[in-house]
Amino acid sequence: MVFAEIESQLRTEGGWNMHIAIALIMALLVTAGVLWFFFAPRKAYRAPLRDGVQEAVVEVKGGYNPAVIEAEAGMPLRLIFDRKEDGECSSHVVFSDFGVDLALPAFRTTTLTLHPDEPGEYPFACGMNMLHGMLRVLPGRHAGAGADATAGIATTAANTSMPDSGNSDMHSTTGGGHTSDSDETDAQTAQKNAQTPDSGETDIRALVARLVVAAVCTIPVFGSTMLMLYPMPNWLQFLLMLPIVGYAALPIFRSGFAAIAHRSPEMNALVSLGALAAFAYSCVVTFAPNVLPENAREPYFEAVGVVVTLMLVGQLLEARARKGTGEAMRALAGLQPKTARVVRDGKETSIAIDDVRVGDVIAIRPGEQLPVDGIVISGTSTVGESMITGEAMPVAKTEGSEVTGATINGGGSLRYRATKVGKDTVLAQIIDMVTAAQSSKAPVQRLADRISGVFVPAVVLVAVWSCALWFAFGPEPRVTHALVAAVSVLLIACPCALGLATPLSVTVSTGRAARMGVLVRSAEALETCGKVNAVVLDKTGTITAGKPTLTDVLPFGKWRRQADDFLTIVAAAERDSEHPLAVAIVATAAEHVDAADAAQTTDFQAIAGRGVTARVTFRGLPHTVAVGNTDLIDDLDVDMPDVTSDTSEIASETIHDTNLDAIIADMELLSQQGKTPILAAIDGHLAGIVAVADVPKADSRQAIELLRKRGVEAVMLTGDNPTTARAIASQVGIDERHVIAGVRPERKADEIAKLQSQGYTVAMVGDGINDAPALARANVGFAIGTGTDVAVQSADVTLMGGSLMGLVHALDLTHAAMRNIAQNLGFALGYNSIGIAIAAGVLYPFTGTLLNPMIAGAAMAFSSLCVVTNASRLRLFDPDAEAAKNKTYRVRKPDPSKNNGNQHSRKGTIMGLFSDHKAKKEAENMGTMGAGHCCGGHDGHGMASNMGDSAANVAKDPVCGMSVDPATAAATREYGGVTYYFCNPGCADKFAQNPAAYLG
């Protein structure tokens, strides 16, 4: 019957009826107008230059006007956002490329000063990703005329009137860090916001008031028209709708039509068009019914009321969800006390925390919060650091211990010296990093952004053609069917769900991670963590506790009878080193050596990955000292031990000290015991060995086992010798094949690159300065929060607790976040695709009914609610419960065909005392050298040599030591009339910078 009605409409005496032609022609004209309206080029506003600063005023009302701003690179740009509306949609503006998420109070102006250094296009959007604008930075012609330009710097100031450029409170950089011109930090700003109602609270109260009015006016109409509980005349329904249209929905209509005027319509625009179309149609039905056919005189007042009410419910839930995502940071900032008790002139004085300066001595009593970071100078206590590190157990603090602001003192009293205040405290850096991460965009969001760019135009076109086709070919009443289809399409479409799908999950997950003691620098890092299939772990300080102890002292030659002097001289040389092994040597020496015998150190030099050299004056005698590994001893051309005594009593010792095989056997024995042997040379002679042991952390084995169960390969990368590295690896469960030992710091990044070339997505975990290049080279770098500042700055994620279980928790959370994002995107895309098709009437031939606009509005509100609720589930993430699950990550497996056969072997380029000995022993084992080449007869002098391959058709990359086929080499370089071949262009570039360093 339904199909018969449609078919009858297609047949007329003259073919096509006039109304069909008119409907199609009008639809084509409207389509052309819509396409021009949305996609025609927009005129850009060029920010004028005044007093060395570019300035643009951006009106925020349903969109951004101007929406496209042009400015010069290298010059400060002051953007004054003049917000002329309330509501949640435009309450924030996000510059993801600059790490800025700026709150815009309603009916106020807010200034943002950017210092863009690089030309390019930098998009910005509202916090719900529905309003969009573009900052177009052009090559500068006046660079240097204004303030110093630093890429990505932003300053903000909120005012009730146009602000002065000097009122800048905060600077934020693209890297996620924050700097400040004043003493006020983000932590203090957050603290103030927690104490005083902000614009978000005002918006929520306004939403609640509008929602109450809408619900009270809608329920009577709904009960009459939909539930048929009692009759209600049309004019009474009209009167009940007036408060909704004139008050409750007014912000929606204002924003919606302003967005249309700005040519950037969003959800408010779609709802405004649909609701007002239904309201206008109902008014015609009520007051001029004769202009409509008799079968098209049904009002839709209840649809208007229900749609607006549900829209307000969705906005209220979204506003509360956004407010909730910052609760973790506000709670953390609220822990910081407003005052500090400092000791000045021998008296304790309470001052504002803003007045604390570096060097002040602060007195802390039991149960108090620490105001700033510092070092304990007296007292003993325990400090709860769970809000910073995520570790539940309090940490003992004594003289010399570092303490962190916002942590809680236990039962003892402390005095400590402030070392970091204001913007430099750990708390301020945490808040800065999390804020930058929440304002950044994950790569997966690019898909949503591309779809959002055409979503609203597509919905409008679907509504237009639905209206035209139903009017042209639909059964009677055609007008009603056309109107219902168009309104339903406009109401059911929900760009809000699509816009919130990614950023809301990112915001919630990074906030949850911060409470766990895991700081994620950006949304991109969050997404990359979900793809990791190999984790490279530094040994010292990452797998191990990083607090080694000196276990053995083995002096040689004349130092055998002066063991304490030997240890004193070695410790003096290591005194200025930051390496944990050096700290262990110095600490032990301090316990055994009289302070009167203290040595003086000059000309200290740390050689990355090898050791240290220094000039030590001990008891009036100067000594040249080198302490490090075999590479350092070889480089310095060190001789065998100085044996000055020939008495029979020590003849066996003399034989031992002049036999290089015996010395190497001592080193290997120590290494097999899990100790790290360190060589010491004094005055050009090998003087002895000191051994240091660093035990694995208590949970390292558990963490590595969990990684293995999740399908993630664990690799140890260390500069330590292979025997010690394998001993530690066996203790924590790392496969011996995954141990890469004896790697210099500058080559750690190369090892990361080799793994990446084999198809691995690599996460690097480290804590020292020597790990910084590898952290930067990895797909995602994890820094141990207890490590050096350089390592933390080079990493994408910081594990504040220092435990490897934090790595497992971080990976579990990122996988949960990416699943959540995928669920949100899948739901948003699926809902809109199916919902719009149903609203357009694709099911009418089978059901004989169209979707009621009221149901369409309810579905739209429900879609946003589902996305918000699903993202909020991440707040309940339990790291311990997740860690207990034996699950495997769904990560991409490496492609075996990309494995270049590299076994991570390390090749030296300089022949010395130990490298020459090793080469000779290997040659003897292959039968290529005569028996006369005995290590015991080594003369101790270094000898430069190129280590080529035995095969004539194979060359060796002089940088990384890999074998390279000249015919297929990735790059070549000429030096000294000789052609050198390289495995990759990176090695070639390094060689070109300093060829002599790689050729000996």
Side-chain angles (χ1 to χ4, degrees):
M1 185 67 182
V2 172
F3 288 101
E5 291 183 9
I6 296 176
E7 186 178 358
S8 67
Q9 294 297 322
L10 296 175
R11 294 191 177 95
T12 60
E13 293 181 0
W16 292 75
N17 280 341
M18 181 62 68
H19 76 273
I20 295 177
I22 293 174
L24 295 180
I25 292 172
M26 291 299 297
L28 288 172
L29 291 176
V30 173
T31 298
V34 168
L35 293 176
W36 174 86
F37 181 80
F38 283 105
F39 300 110
R42 300 185 184 187
K43 184 178 180 180
Y45 174 78
R46 183 63 178 266
L49 182 65
R50 300 187 182 95
D51 299 326
V53 179
Q54 303 171 97
E55 184 175 283
V57 178
V58 182
E59 181 184 84
V60 183
K61 187 178 180 181
Y64 301 112
N65 184 29
V68 181
I69 303 168
E70 289 185 347
E72 287 187 24
M75 297 288 296
L77 170 63
R78 183 186 303 141
L79 298 176
I80 302 173
F81 289 91
D82 184 11
R83 189 177 178 214
K84 296 182 177 180
E85 62 181 359
D86 54 9
E88 176 63 17
C89 181
S90 60
S91 63
H92 286 248
V93 62
V94 178
F95 286 78
S96 57
D97 293 306
F98 293 87
V100 172
D101 185 350
L102 178 64
L104 302 179
F107 306 105
R108 295 177 63 186
T109 60
T110 306
T111 298
L112 172 69
T113 303
L114 302 173
H115 297 252
D117 209 22
E118 296 294 332
E121 292 189 341
Y122 301 94
F124 57 95
C126 69
M128 298 175 71
N129 204 34
M130 291 194 295
L131 308 179
H132 297 272
M134 178 67 68
L135 171 61
R136 190 173 297 152
V137 180
L138 307 176
R141 294 176 298 175
H142 303 87
D148 292 340
T150 304
I153 297 293
T155 65
T156 68
N159 303 277
T160 54
S161 60
M162 293 301 179
D164 185 86
S165 62
N167 296 332
S168 62
D169 294 327
M170 179 190 73
H171 294 258
S172 66
T173 68
T174 53
H178 290 31
T179 60
S180 175
D181 285 342
S182 67
D183 293 329
E184 182 170 305
T185 67
D186 287 350
Q188 294 160 344
T189 302
Q191 187 181 38
K192 292 178 181 178
N193 291 341
Q195 297 166 352
T196 58
D198 58 8
S199 62
E201 286 289 349
T202 304
D203 290 343
I204 289 176
R205 286 197 296 270
L207 277 172
V208 170
R210 296 180 191 280
L211 177 59
V212 169
V213 171
V216 168
C217 294
T218 298
I219 290 174
V221 179
F222 183 83
S224 172
T225 58
M226 299 302 297
L227 302 181
M228 305 296 182
L229 299 178
Y230 42 81
M232 180 178 289
N234 291 353
W235 64 266
L236 183 55
Q237 296 181 34
F238 168 76
L239 291 178
L240 287 173
M241 287 301 106
L242 287 180
I244 295 178
V245 175
Y247 170 70
L250 194 57
I252 298 174
F253 296 158
R254 249 193 330 242
S255 296
F257 286 105
I260 293 174
H262 294 153
R263 297 172 60 188
S264 58
E266 26 71 71
M267 185 177 67
N268 288 328
L270 296 179
V271 172
S272 299
L273 289 174
L276 286 181
F279 181 76
Y281 180 82
S282 300
C283 289
V284 173
V285 170
T286 301
F287 300 107
N290 294 331
V291 303
L292 297 172
E294 289 188 8
N295 56 3
R297 297 175 182 176
E298 184 70 26
Y300 285 97
F301 285 122
E302 79 283 352
V304 175
V306 171
V307 166
V308 171
T309 301
L310 292 176
M311 179 74 172
L312 291 172
V313 170
Q315 288 187 352
L316 180 61
L317 291 172
E318 290 159 7
R320 290 192 180 280
R322 184 177 181 90
K323 181 176 181 293
T325 58
E327 287 178 355
M329 292 297 98
R330 286 192 292 270
L332 186 59
L335 292 175
Q336 189 176 45
K338 294 182 284 293
T339 61
R341 192 180 302 105
V342 300
V343 180
R344 292 179 177 173
D345 299 327
K347 297 181 180 179
E348 293 186 5
T349 305
S350 183
I351 63 173
I353 192 172
D354 294 350
D355 296 330
V356 178
R357 297 291 179 260
V358 173
D360 280 344
V361 175
I362 301 172
I364 299 295
R365 296 171 182 171
E368 292 184 343
Q369 286 92 26
L370 281 66
V372 296
D373 302 353
I375 297 178
V376 176
I377 59 175
S378 66
T380 301
S381 184
T382 57
V383 175
E385 299 180 338
S386 59
M387 67 289 298
I388 299 293
T389 66
E391 300 290 342
M393 293 298 294
V395 181
K397 301 293 183 181
T398 59
E399 183 177 347
S401 300
E402 293 185 355
V403 290
T404 305
T407 55
I408 303 174
N409 185 32
S413 297
L414 297 173
R415 286 195 176 190
Y416 72 95
R417 191 178 307 279
T419 57
K420 295 180 180 179
V421 300
K423 64 182 177 59
D424 297 323
T425 62
V426 170
L427 177 66
Q429 293 173 10
I430 289 175
I431 294 176
D432 287 349
M433 188 178 294
V434 173
T435 301
Q438 292 179 344
S439 65
S440 62
K441 286 187 179 182
V444 70
Q445 190 173 338
R446 295 169 188 160
L447 172 63
D449 287 345
R450 286 196 295 267
I451 296 174
S452 297
V454 299
F455 182 84
V456 173
V459 170
V460 172
L461 290 178
V462 171
V464 168
W465 281 96
S466 296
C467 182
L469 293 176
W470 276 104
F471 182 79
F473 304 113
E476 294 292 346
R478 290 194 303 268
V479 175
T480 300
H481 285 153
L483 178 66
V484 168
V487 170
S488 296
V489 168
L490 293 174
L491 292 179
I492 203 169
C494 188
C496 178
L498 189 61
L500 286 175
T502 298
L504 194 59
S505 295
V506 169
T507 301
V508 175
S509 59
T510 50
R512 180 68 184 98
R515 297 189 66 179
M516 292 163 44
V518 178
L519 304 184
V520 183
R521 190 178 293 273
S522 67
E524 183 175 2
L526 185 75
E527 181 175 343
T528 305
C529 285
K531 303 175 182 178
V532 168
N533 52 22
V535 173
V536 177
L537 305 167
D538 177 49
K539 182 179 73 69
T540 304
T542 301
I543 295 177
T544 63
K547 296 181 179 179
T549 57
L550 183 66
T551 59
D552 299 87
V553 178
L554 304 177
F556 298 145
K558 68 177 184 179
W559 297 104
R560 281 185 177 273
R561 297 296 175 262
Q562 305 173 53
D564 287 345
D565 293 353
F566 166 73
L567 180 58
T568 300
I569 294 173
V570 171
E574 292 276 25
R575 187 178 299 140
D576 294 328
S577 174
E578 58 88 28
H579 198 284
L581 300 182
V583 174
I585 296 172
V586 174
T588 303
E591 296 174 0
H592 293 84
V593 178
D594 192 336
D597 290 333
Q600 303 298 320
T601 304
T602 57
D603 299 335
F604 172 84
Q605 182 181 7
I607 303 173
R610 300 195 178 193
V612 302
T613 61
R615 179 173 290 276
V616 177
T617 301
F618 180 64
R619 293 177 181 170
L621 297 177
H623 299 281
T624 301
V625 185
V627 185
N629 57 22
T630 56
D631 285 342
L632 180 64
I633 301 303
D634 286 345
D635 289 349
L636 297 177
D637 204 14
V638 172
D639 288 337
M640 290 294 285
D642 182 8
V643 181
T644 58
S645 176
D646 58 355
T647 63
S648 59
E649 182 181 355
I650 58 171
S652 60
E653 297 175 355
T654 302
I655 294 173
H656 174 280
D657 295 349
T658 57
N659 187 337
L660 191 55
D661 283 326
I663 295 175
I664 291 177
D666 290 340
M667 296 173 62
E668 291 176 348
L669 178 61
L670 292 169
S671 297
Q672 290 168 5
Q673 297 171 358
K675 303 172 182 177
T676 300
I678 302 172
L679 296 165
I682 300 176
D683 297 331
H685 292 272
L686 190 62
I689 301 173
V690 290
V692 177
D694 186 13
V695 298
K697 295 176 182 177
D699 57 3
S700 289
R701 185 178 184 89
Q702 178 190 4
I704 290 169
E705 176 66 17
L706 289 174
L707 289 174
R708 185 185 62 79
K709 289 181 179 179
R710 283 155 170 72
V712 178
E713 299 284 357
V715 179
M716 178 191 289
L717 180 63
T718 178
D720 211 338
N721 68 80
T723 306
T724 301
R726 284 193 292 268
I728 297 296
S730 66
Q731 295 178 37
V732 297
I734 295 179
D735 194 315
E736 183 177 318
R737 295 171 299 175
H738 295 162
V739 176
I740 310 174
V743 182
R744 299 175 185 174
E746 67 272 17
R747 296 193 181 176
K748 284 187 176 182
D750 294 338
E751 297 294 344
I752 298 294
K754 291 175 185 178
L755 288 172
Q756 291 169 330
S757 70
Q758 296 170 25
Y760 286 99
T761 301
V762 181
M764 171 68 190
V765 188
D767 70 326
I769 292 175
N770 60 340
D771 298 319
L775 289 170
R777 181 64 179 85
N779 298 93
V780 57
F782 285 79
I784 300 297
T786 54
T788 62
D789 291 341
V790 174
V792 172
Q793 293 167 5
S794 301
D796 303 294
V797 183
T798 302
L799 307 177
M800 296 301 296
S803 167
L804 279 184
M805 282 303 297
L807 169 66
V808 178
H809 296 333
L811 293 180
D812 284 344
L813 177 59
T814 56
H815 279 270
M818 296 314 298
R819 285 196 304 270
N820 194 271
I821 290 173
Q823 292 163 0
N824 285 346
L825 286 175
F827 175 81
L829 292 173
Y831 159 80
N832 280 292
S833 301
I834 297 173
I836 290 173
I838 293 175
V842 296
L843 296 182
Y844 184 85
F846 308 100
T847 63
T849 58
L850 284 173
L851 185 67
N852 190 305
M854 180 183 64
I855 299 176
M860 178 273 298
F862 178 73
S863 68
S864 295
L865 177 62
C866 287
V867 170
V868 171
T869 304
N870 188 51
S872 297
R873 290 190 307 112
L874 290 171
R875 296 186 198 168
L876 306 177
F877 178 84
D878 185 346
D880 295 326
E882 286 293 315
K885 297 178 182 178
N886 292 326
K887 59 182 180 180
T888 301
Y889 294 145
R890 294 182 178 180
V891 294
R892 178 177 56 84
K893 298 299 181 182
D895 185 356
S897 64
K898 295 184 179 181
N899 193 323
N900 58 12
N902 171 52
Q903 299 299 317
H904 309 296
S905 60
R906 173 178 161 275
K907 306 291 185 181
T909 58
I910 299 178
M911 291 294 221
L913 189 65
F914 290 91
S915 57
D916 188 28
H917 174 270
K918 180 179 178 181
K920 289 182 179 181
K921 295 297 289 184
E922 290 175 349
E924 288 176 0
N925 292 336
M926 293 186 297
T928 59
M929 294 186 66
H933 296 278
C934 175
C935 296
H938 194 286
D939 62 7
H941 294 287
M943 179 175 56
S945 171
N946 289 324
M947 299 179 64
D949 279 337
S950 57
N953 62 340
V954 177
K956 187 175 297 296
D957 186 326
V959 174
C960 67
M962 288 181 57
S963 297
V964 180
D965 184 349
T968 60
T972 61
R973 293 290 186 272
E974 298 286 338
Y975 180 72
V978 179
T979 300
Y980 295 91
Y981 301 91
F982 301 89
C983 65
N984 64 72
C987 287
D989 292 340
K990 289 184 178 180
F991 176 83
Q993 293 173 7
N994 189 5
Y998 299 101
L999 299 179

